[in-house]
Amino acid sequence: MRERPERLNRLPEQYFTSLLARVSAAAAEDGEPLVDLGRGNPEVGPPEHVVRALTQCAERHDVHGYAPFSGVPALKEAIAVRYGELYGVHLDAAREVAVLPGTKTGLMEFALCAVEGGGTIVLPDPGYPDYFSAVALAGATHVPFTGFDVVADAMYLNFPSNPTAATVPDGLFEEAVQWAERSEAWVLHDFAYGDLVFDGRRPQSFLAVDGARHVGIELFSMSKTYGMAGWRLGFAVGNAELVRRIELLQDHAFAGIFRPIQEAGIAALTGPQDSVEKRRATYERRRDRALVALEGIDAQSEGTFFVWFRLPDSMTVERLLVEHRVAVAPGEGFGVRGAGWARLSLAISDELLDRGLERLHAALA
Ligand SMILES: Cc1ncc(COP(=O)(O)O)c(C=O)c1O
């Protein structure tokens, strides 16, 4: 009677909710103010012209009803133009673009739209924890990515990766397309940090690889590129059949996205882009500082706003939190293969980052 349905019971503990609770509890304890390098929440919002587009649109009296369920066509066009200009990918805006209320939603929708209950989905391990949730909600089973000899119905990829901050290895996207064709499986590439790459690298879209749009979709998020995480706006682009399925699901579950948010999205995508480079360069500069502070520790970051590092044998994330008053995200929360590692975030002011890095340096040296 009124028992919680099995599909909810299957969901893993929400990693970031638990992490936040643990860090808040530690922050409330006596001692030095805690420095939180555990969260991945962009610290700078979108440029002014984007906020202005939102407020100006919100003042119109004709924008408060339901927006078109599948999104404003000009917004789809704007993302298609960006893909053409920046990633060398030509999209049919009407058929190959779905507008999402944030890409987190798209991660869930992909599993629901691509795989039957009982199917198998390959996940990066370590990988973004919500992939595990998506698989569980779809009633599927996950297996860790260990190579392309795996038998499965779908695969999640994520480059640059949260949490490992690695960019895509040469040839991996091509192998993924071949695997998907061979296996009659679907691929989702999560491109949430696509524009945040370092050391002269260029953003690499999965869809730029031959055949990719026959086997999968890519998720593009406004959250990281434009600092719009709270606005909830993103896109699923690529395979027209998957885009149609996602729009079908959204027609039933949602009723579009507030029009001023979509108009501001158009302003972000089509207006001046200097804020994107500024953001990218800021994270690269902070990444450099972090790698200096972690000298002697196995640490890496080729993109995103994270650094992934190995904890010395004697150290734990809990000890860093309690004894050294610095919070980082424990690696095992990203999958069993993340054990012994941790993720620190660069999405924090320079001043706080420096304080946190000093404490990490002292704790890990
Ligand atoms: C790898 C990855 N994918 C997707 C998301 C979700 O982003 P959005 O804000 O577009 O829902 C995040 C957010 O942190 C992320 O780190």
Side-chain angles (χ1 to χ4, degrees), residues 204-217:
Q204 273 185 276
S205 165
F206 173 62
L207 296 174
V209 167
D210 277 350
R213 79 183 64 204
H214 298 302
V215 301
I217 54 170

Side-chain angles (χ1 to χ4, degrees), residues 25-337:
E29 286 160 14
D30 288 341
E32 286 273 302
L34 198 85
V35 179
D36 185 0
L37 303 184
R39 298 188 67 184
N41 197 359
E43 80 294 7
V44 176
E48 246 179 76
H49 71 273
V50 175
V51 179
R52 211 175 314 121
L54 173 92
T55 54
Q56 282 176 354
C57 184
E59 280 174 15
R60 279 169 44 190
H61 62 85
D62 60 343
V63 296
H64 298 276
Y66 296 113
F69 281 10
S70 61
V72 174
L75 178 60
K76 292 186 167 189
E77 197 52 54
I79 189 73
V81 169
R82 178 189 187 81
Y83 259 77
E85 286 176 355
L86 288 184
Y87 312 133
V89 174
H90 298 285
L91 294 169
D92 175 342
R95 296 174 53 251
E96 294 179 323
V97 177
V99 178
L100 310 172
T103 58
K104 192 167 151 131
T105 313
L107 300 174
M108 296 284 164
E109 291 170 338
F110 172 73
L112 295 170
C113 292
V115 170
E116 281 291 357
T120 304
I121 303 183
V122 185
L123 297 184
D125 182 351
Y128 186 57
D130 286 347
Y131 304 152
F132 297 87
S133 319
V135 172
L137 201 62
T141 306
H142 63 83
V143 292
F145 177 82
T146 49
F148 288 106
D149 49 1
V150 64
V151 177
D153 304 294
M155 177 181 284
Y156 284 66
L157 296 173
N158 170 220
F159 297 104
S161 153
N162 178 7
T164 71
T167 51
V168 63
D170 282 347
L172 188 139
F173 283 159
E174 287 81 354
E175 276 196 84
V177 170
Q178 287 161 16
W179 170 82
E181 274 168 355
R182 231 176 22 245
S183 317
E184 296 189 10
W186 292 114
V187 173
L188 173 138
H189 178 236
D190 180 353
F191 203 36
Y193 298 88
D195 295 311
L196 302 179
V197 286
F198 307 146
D199 308 313
R201 291 180 175 83
R202 310 256 322 140
Q204 273 185 276
S205 165
F206 173 62
L207 296 174
V209 167
D210 277 350
R213 79 183 64 204
H214 298 302
V215 301
I217 54 170
E218 180 161 87
L219 301 187
F220 179 88
S221 173
M222 299 296 282
S223 300
K224 323 291 172 176
T225 297
Y226 294 105
M228 295 170 71
W231 296 49
R232 314 310 305 133
L233 189 61
F235 303 90
V237 299
N239 184 268
E241 169 61 24
L242 276 181
V243 163
R244 196 163 41 236
R245 292 185 198 178
I246 286 173
E247 289 191 333
L248 171 70
L249 183 58
Q250 294 198 153
D251 281 352
H252 286 270
F254 309 112
I257 294 168
F258 187 40
R259 174 104 193 201
I261 291 180
Q262 299 196 56
E263 293 293 339
I266 296 171
L269 290 165
T270 60
Q273 299 296 305
D274 47 316
S275 73
V276 180
E277 172 51 22
K278 194 167 161 210
R279 199 180 291 276
R280 191 207 63 75
T282 300
Y283 293 134
E284 180 166 349
R285 179 173 50 74
R286 291 181 187 158
R287 184 280 314 256
D288 291 345
R289 291 233 284 271
L291 292 185
V292 169
L294 295 175
E295 211 191 340
I297 299 282
D298 199 354
Q300 64 190 49
S301 175
E302 298 175 333
T304 71
F305 46 53
F306 302 116
V307 174
W308 181 240
F309 65 98
R310 193 196 287 274
L311 291 163
D313 282 345
S314 55
M315 187 47 70
T316 63
V317 165
E318 185 62 20
R319 276 190 62 201
L320 286 175
L321 188 64
V322 174
E323 295 170 24
H324 300 276
R325 305 292 285 165
V326 56
V328 293
E332 60 268 26
F334 300 96
V336 287
R337 291 196 290 174

